[in-house]
Amino acid sequence: MAGSAAGPGSPGRSPFVRGRHGAPALKRVSSRVRCGAVGGAPTGRPGDSWGVDSGTTIFLFLAGAAVLGYTAYHSGQRWALAARDGGATLHSRPHQYGWFVACWGMLPATAVGVGAWVIQLSGWLNLVEYAVLIAAFAVGGAGMWLGRHLLRPQLRARNALDRLIRRLLLAAGLVSILTTFGIILSIVFESIRFFHMVSFIDFVTGTTWAPDSAFLEGAGRGAEGASKADFGSVPLFAGTFMITVIAMLVALPVGLLSAIYMAEYASHGVRGMAKPTLEVLAGIPTVVYGFFAALTVAPLVVDLAGLLGLDASYNSALAAGLVMGVMIIPFISSLSDDVINSVPNAMREGSYALGTTKSETIKQVILPAALPGIISAFLLAVSRAMGETMIVVMAAGMRPNLTWNPLEDMTTVTVRIVDALTGDQAFDSAETLSAFALGLVLFVVTLALNLLSVILVRRFRQKYASS
Amino acid sequence: MNEQAIDSAPGASFGASPRLRQRYRRERRFHAYCIGALGLAVAFLIVFFADMIHIGYSAFVQTEVKVPVDYSEQALQVPPRAVPDDMRPFVSRGFLRQLPRVAKANPELVGTKQEQWVLATADVDQYRKGQKSALEEDVAARADRLQEQGRLRYAFNTWLFTHGDSKIPELAGLKSAIIGSLYVLTITLAFAFPVGVMTAVYLEEFAPDNRFTQAIEININNLAAVPSILFGLLGLAIFINFFGVPRSSAIAGGLTLGLMTLPVIIISTRAALRAVPYAIREGALAMGATRWQTVRDHVLPVSLPGILTGTIIGLAQAMGETAPLLLVGMIAYIPDAPTSFVDAATVLPAQIYTWAGMPERAYVGRTAAAILVLLAILIALNATAVFVRRKFERRW
């Protein structure tokens, strides 16, 4: 089963990788799959764990573990039933003694199996799969024997199981922490490698992003490159900034006013219709927005600009920004709606009692009160816009362009990440690694925005918690 | 109601004061702005769907042409000879290519001549649908003549659903992408559902209120807001480069999406667990059940609809996600559906992305058709979630 896969044993060249090379390049992103280190994931790793035998091994392991667990469970339960018939007072129910023995059998076996797998992956030792299986089941059998002999009528099997389950649940909770660490580690390590090649100052202050000659260096033809590769990220951040600003110019007024309408003006029925309708905007996949932006909005922008006597690019920042703004509307509207709704009613009533109109109440009482929450929604939306990928990959340009003109094509951080990692480069080339450096910046900025937003909204909630 | 009465009849009783009239005018203007904003968002949605349907609907039918097909031995040696020279520009290469296979499967055809409806080329199809086409003028004129003779017709584009990707526009289908999506979502579900529910159960039912628990909570909220592309970087660096998962396989993509979906499932499961009244837990605990027995036998069963709703919504989100999958290599050209979790696979959104980048005009319609298929699946998933919530959720 696994053998027919990408054939990772052959150094990094699966059949489809070759097939892709003959393909016409995508519009702008050269989408050839890299056949270097990334493509051939486990190049030169001894006894690759995803080889032909891994499927069989996993199957044998699971089958064996099931048999082991079943046997252990029954032996434990039988013991408990016999003890009960013999007149002993059991602390727990008989099946709980069964589970107790089963856990004593299966957990050590699983530990051996997973341990062997990790050792195999890290490449310290090349383990023979059958030896691992036999070792795992031997350990499991021993565990079962031990568990069986721990059984006493007064053994608190139920409590032990509860403790075990609590630990398992905790372990599941750790997965999310590990994910964060995984993101941080993977980005930071590769970024450090990148900053060994390119100085941090150049990266932050440089105004030219021209990684193309890094490709020649990577191919061992550095001398042919007319100039050295430049990794000045300013144009990318300028592009990201520009598109984010355009998106927020669309999303903030539309989203906020919609939220005000739904929270303050709309009847119950209208609100019930409008809210899910806006949520649909959030449910449309970004690749679909990207297609819409590139195919429909971009030509429209060009035509409109032409009417005004302006020259617009078909990959203008404006088109991407407008569509991204529409995508962001529901984030702003639903978050602001929540915040406006949780402004205490007493404030509204007090204001009406002074004879204000509805809009005066909204503008002078409700919005100021809800401001921290609205700012928090805004920050969250900005972080969403900065990290958005597909719309800009499909609708914004590939050319790093430092300009104030939104009708020109500009590129963003996320576009360069995708471009660098779907290009045709060895994994340790500077261009590929630059994607991780850009990812690091993106992570830090969005993290800061998110945390700030959380703090603001928490402050808002505390202020009105009593009501 | 009272205020609205005043709103709708501004100045009726206070008409004398110009300042008041001005304030009411401002009120009406602001109200109009609010309606306008909402209207703008809804209008966009309508334009968007109309545009997609407008571009995409024509790709669900495909032109067929009636040609005499020669199943003689010589023709089967060189399939293009099976159709008359003057018809050849109309007939798709896909049909000609599979002729020998058809003849082998139906030996009684060999040596006969059949009048047959066969798939036309994308150019003819585009020309007939009035879209931009690279058809040469004389061929176009002949197409008009064939049309008059009734030798061109539309047929439902079953090919789109029964075949995989292709470099020939009229032969490109979604089958491999749809099956790839299924494989990827299976992995996503198998990973994210148990881990997510377990995490939520731990946080809601077991965790002591300490720094560590708070750290997990903050971390989950933060993960929910991390840009999806960073999950792609994680998948590339950890799953593919470190763990050696095959690139562009369903397992690499599914695990990456699984990590991304995890916070969604955790957050909605916690909300569902929190909605269960405490009395239910106390009742079980009073009967001598352990914490875990309480959760397993009483809390989880009643909160299951909420958990499932959140899971389906998370899956719908994962189904439409593209960016992280591009980074784990799922933009490769994959004509065949995967048959295992380690095969190279592609998914529906990635297929849309690839087709959107194709230079041939005929792919535009196919892309929009693929988008309509994707949107239909997403709407179905979300409708299921709404149905589950309406039908099974208990309010306390």
Side-chain angles (χ1 to χ4, degrees):
Chain A
M1 152 203 143
S4 63
S10 62
R13 285 206 146 233
S14 56
F16 81 87
V17 170
R18 254 175 261 130
R20 187 63 200 170
H21 277 272
L26 267 183
K27 204 167 12 179
R28 291 166 311 265
V29 179
S30 71
S31 66
R32 283 168 293 176
V33 172
R34 183 182 320 103
C35 59
V38 179
T43 351
R45 188 170 288 158
D48 170 58
S49 64
W50 294 92
V52 182
D53 274 350
S54 69
T56 329
T57 312
I58 291 172
F59 174 76
L60 283 177
F61 180 80
L62 290 179
V67 170
L68 183 74
Y70 188 79
T71 326
Y73 176 81
H74 269 267
S75 99
Q77 199 188 24
R78 256 203 321 275
W79 173 87
L81 289 172
R84 197 174 63 181
D85 291 344
T89 317
L90 296 178
H91 171 271
S92 308
R93 310 269 304 150
H95 75 266
Q96 284 161 339
Y97 291 98
W99 277 110
F100 182 82
V101 182
C103 290
W104 268 97
M106 286 201 295
L107 286 181
T110 314
V112 170
V114 171
W117 184 55
V118 170
I119 289 174
Q120 187 89 33
L121 282 180
S122 56
W124 291 330
L125 283 172
N126 192 12
L127 300 166
V128 183
E129 275 147 345
Y130 287 101
V132 170
L133 281 180
I134 291 168
F137 293 132
V139 172
M144 175 181 136
W145 181 83
L146 192 66
R148 176 74 176 67
H149 282 263
L150 283 173
L151 293 181
R152 300 276 177 278
Q154 61 272 39
L155 176 81
R156 301 183 169 193
R158 194 178 57 182
N159 304 30
L161 283 179
D162 224 43
R163 270 199 306 277
L164 178 70
I165 281 167
R166 179 191 289 251
R167 286 200 191 121
L168 278 181
L169 294 175
L170 176 62
L174 290 180
V175 170
S176 69
I177 297 243
L178 284 181
T179 309
T180 307
F181 275 112
I183 291 180
I184 294 173
L185 285 184
S186 59
I187 296 174
V188 167
F189 271 115
E190 308 297 353
S191 300
I192 290 174
R193 284 170 70 190
F194 174 73
F195 288 122
H196 277 307
M197 299 186 201
V198 177
S199 93
F200 181 71
I201 303 294
D202 288 349
F203 178 72
V204 174
T205 59
T207 54
T208 2
W209 183 275
D212 294 337
S213 38
F215 169 68
L216 292 177
E217 275 168 40
R221 298 188 296 165
E224 291 174 37
S227 59
K228 222 178 139 310
D230 280 315
F231 288 97
S233 61
V234 173
L236 310 188
F237 289 104
T240 303
F241 179 73
M242 170 71 89
I243 291 179
T244 306
V245 166
I246 297 171
M248 296 319 292
L249 284 180
V250 175
L252 188 65
V254 176
L256 187 55
L257 287 174
S258 306
I260 291 174
Y261 180 74
M262 289 191 294
E264 297 291 327
Y265 285 105
S267 64
H268 192 71
V270 172
R271 188 184 151 82
M273 297 263 287
K275 225 174 143 75
T277 311
L278 282 186
E279 301 288 320
V280 171
L281 284 177
I284 296 175
T286 53
V287 66
V288 177
Y289 276 118
F291 180 70
F292 181 72
L295 196 79
T296 306
V297 179
L300 213 64
V301 166
V302 173
D303 290 349
L304 284 180
L307 280 183
L308 298 173
L310 295 169
D311 214 13
S313 156
Y314 273 97
N315 299 323
S316 63
L318 188 59
L322 286 177
V323 174
M324 195 190 283
V326 172
M327 184 197 86
I328 305 269
I329 289 173
F331 290 96
I332 301 233
S333 75
S334 74
L335 289 171
S336 321
D337 190 25
D338 289 347
V339 172
I340 292 173
N341 272 324
S342 53
V343 172
N345 240 343
M347 292 179 75
R348 281 186 196 91
E349 283 153 7
S351 169
Y352 292 147
L354 293 175
T356 59
T357 63
K358 228 170 184 177
S359 63
E360 283 162 353
T361 305
I362 292 166
K363 279 187 260 185
Q364 285 160 27
V365 177
I366 296 176
L367 286 188
L371 197 62
I374 292 171
I375 293 177
S376 137
F378 175 78
L379 294 179
L380 220 53
V382 169
S383 106
R384 182 66 60 158
M386 291 181 65
E388 172 44 45
T389 311
M390 291 320 291
I391 294 178
V392 281
V393 166
M394 294 171 81
M398 287 298 291
R399 184 167 64 102
N401 187 5
L402 193 57
T403 172
W404 286 107
N405 183 359
L407 296 175
E408 283 185 36
D409 58 329
M410 296 180 89
T411 195
T412 69
V413 173
T414 48
V415 173
R416 294 318 305 198
I417 294 178
V418 170
D419 185 46
L421 290 178
T422 51
D424 206 3
Q425 296 258 315
F427 187 69
D428 40 11
S429 82
E431 181 175 4
T432 314
L433 292 177
S434 74
F436 288 89
L438 292 173
L440 178 67
V441 178
L442 191 63
F443 181 75
V444 170
V445 172
T446 50
L447 183 73
L449 286 171
N450 295 337
L451 288 182
L452 202 59
S453 145
V454 168
I455 292 169
L456 276 173
V457 88
R458 187 170 292 171
R459 206 166 275 177
F460 167 80
R461 298 246 180 259
Q462 274 166 358
K463 201 166 161 192
Y464 298 108
S466 54
S467 52
Chain B
M1 272 298 102
N2 233 353
E3 306 143 17
Q4 261 164 17
I6 296 172
D7 289 351
S8 58
S13 49
F14 313 99
S17 158
R19 182 164 152 68
L20 198 61
R21 237 180 300 161
Q22 194 194 1
R23 281 175 62 199
Y24 278 127
R25 262 208 302 280
R26 234 182 254 155
E27 163 69 26
R28 276 198 304 270
R29 217 180 302 142
F30 188 75
H31 193 168
Y33 289 153
C34 290
I35 294 185
L38 188 60
L40 209 63
V42 175
F44 173 86
L45 203 59
I46 294 169
V47 169
F48 166 79
F49 273 103
D51 191 47
M52 283 304 131
I53 293 171
H54 173 73
I55 306 173
Y57 82 98
S58 66
F60 285 106
V61 291
Q62 193 127 315
T63 304
E64 288 187 337
V65 57
K66 197 174 195 180
V67 289
V69 184
D70 180 9
Y71 283 95
S72 67
E73 292 284 350
Q74 307 96 289
L76 291 176
Q77 295 292 317
V78 190
R81 284 209 201 132
V83 293
D85 284 349
D86 58 328
M87 297 299 270
R88 210 164 294 146
F90 295 94
V91 177
S92 165
R93 272 189 285 162
F95 170 74
L96 297 174
R97 218 182 270 168
Q98 62 178 18
L99 257 189
R101 229 180 308 151
V102 173
K104 208 177 245 176
N106 309 292
E108 73 278 3
L109 281 177
V110 178
T112 60
K113 269 197 167 192
Q114 307 275 335
E115 281 274 312
Q116 235 181 317
W117 287 105
V118 304
L119 195 62
T121 62
D123 281 333
V124 173
D125 188 52
Q126 292 277 300
Y127 175 73
R128 185 137 182 267
K129 286 169 180 166
Q131 285 152 357
K132 224 178 262 173
S133 151
L135 215 56
E136 286 150 33
E137 254 176 56
D138 56 320
V139 185
R142 260 166 42 217
D144 290 336
R145 234 173 301 139
L146 284 177
Q147 171 84 43
E148 281 160 26
Q149 293 163 4
R151 295 182 83 91
L152 290 179
R153 70 163 184 192
Y154 284 131
F156 182 73
N157 192 354
T158 45
W159 193 285
L160 190 64
F161 301 98
T162 54
H163 288 78
D165 195 9
S166 168
K167 294 284 172 222
I168 304 170
E170 73 266 19
L171 300 182
L174 290 171
K175 188 183 160 203
S176 55
I178 291 174
I179 293 180
S181 272
L182 274 182
Y183 271 91
V184 168
L185 285 188
T186 308
I187 297 272
T188 302
L189 186 66
F191 170 75
F193 183 70
V195 175
V197 172
M198 284 164 79
T199 306
V201 166
Y202 177 74
L203 290 176
E204 277 304 308
E205 309 285 336
F206 288 90
D209 187 19
N210 58 18
R211 278 279 165 89
F212 183 67
T213 309
Q214 280 168 19
I216 298 185
E217 280 180 31
I218 292 173
N219 176 52
I220 287 167
N221 288 331
N222 183 50
L223 269 188
V226 165
S228 62
I229 191 166
L230 294 180
F231 284 94
L233 289 180
L234 164 94
L236 181 64
I238 305 278
F239 293 143
I240 294 183
N241 278 355
F242 183 73
F243 283 114
V245 176
R247 197 178 154 84
S248 74
S249 64
I251 193 163
L255 286 176
T256 307
L257 288 185
L259 290 181
M260 219 188 73
T261 318
L262 203 54
V264 182
I265 295 184
I266 294 174
I267 290 169
S268 58
T269 304
R270 290 190 70 184
L273 292 175
R274 228 175 285 147
V276 177
Y278 216 78
I280 288 192
R281 296 183 183 87
E282 282 163 351
L285 292 171
M287 300 304 286
T290 61
R291 270 277 167 95
W292 168 240
Q293 285 171 324
T294 309
V295 170
R296 188 191 60 192
D297 297 338
H298 302 281
V299 180
L300 277 183
V302 293
S303 57
L304 197 61
I307 296 174
L308 288 183
T309 309
T311 307
I312 296 172
I313 288 173
L315 273 190
Q317 217 170 310
M319 167 110 210
E321 194 57 66
T322 325
L325 296 182
L326 296 188
L327 298 195
V328 294
M330 290 199 130
I331 40 166
Y333 169 62
I334 292 155
D336 298 317
T339 52
S340 83
F341 289 108
V342 287
D343 278 352
T346 190
V347 291
L348 210 39
Q351 186 73 79
I352 290 170
Y353 174 65
T354 325
W355 282 359
M358 287 291 197
E360 291 95 342
R361 236 350 250 193
Y363 277 106
V364 172
R366 297 229 159 209
T367 311
I371 285 176
L372 292 179
V373 172
L374 176 64
L375 289 177
I377 296 174
L378 292 184
I379 289 172
L381 276 176
N382 282 298
T384 316
V386 172
F387 174 77
V388 169
R389 180 157 43 197
R390 291 260 164 89
K391 176 98 184 169
F392 298 108
E393 199 167 53
R394 287 174 73 170
R395 300 236 164 256
W396 306 90

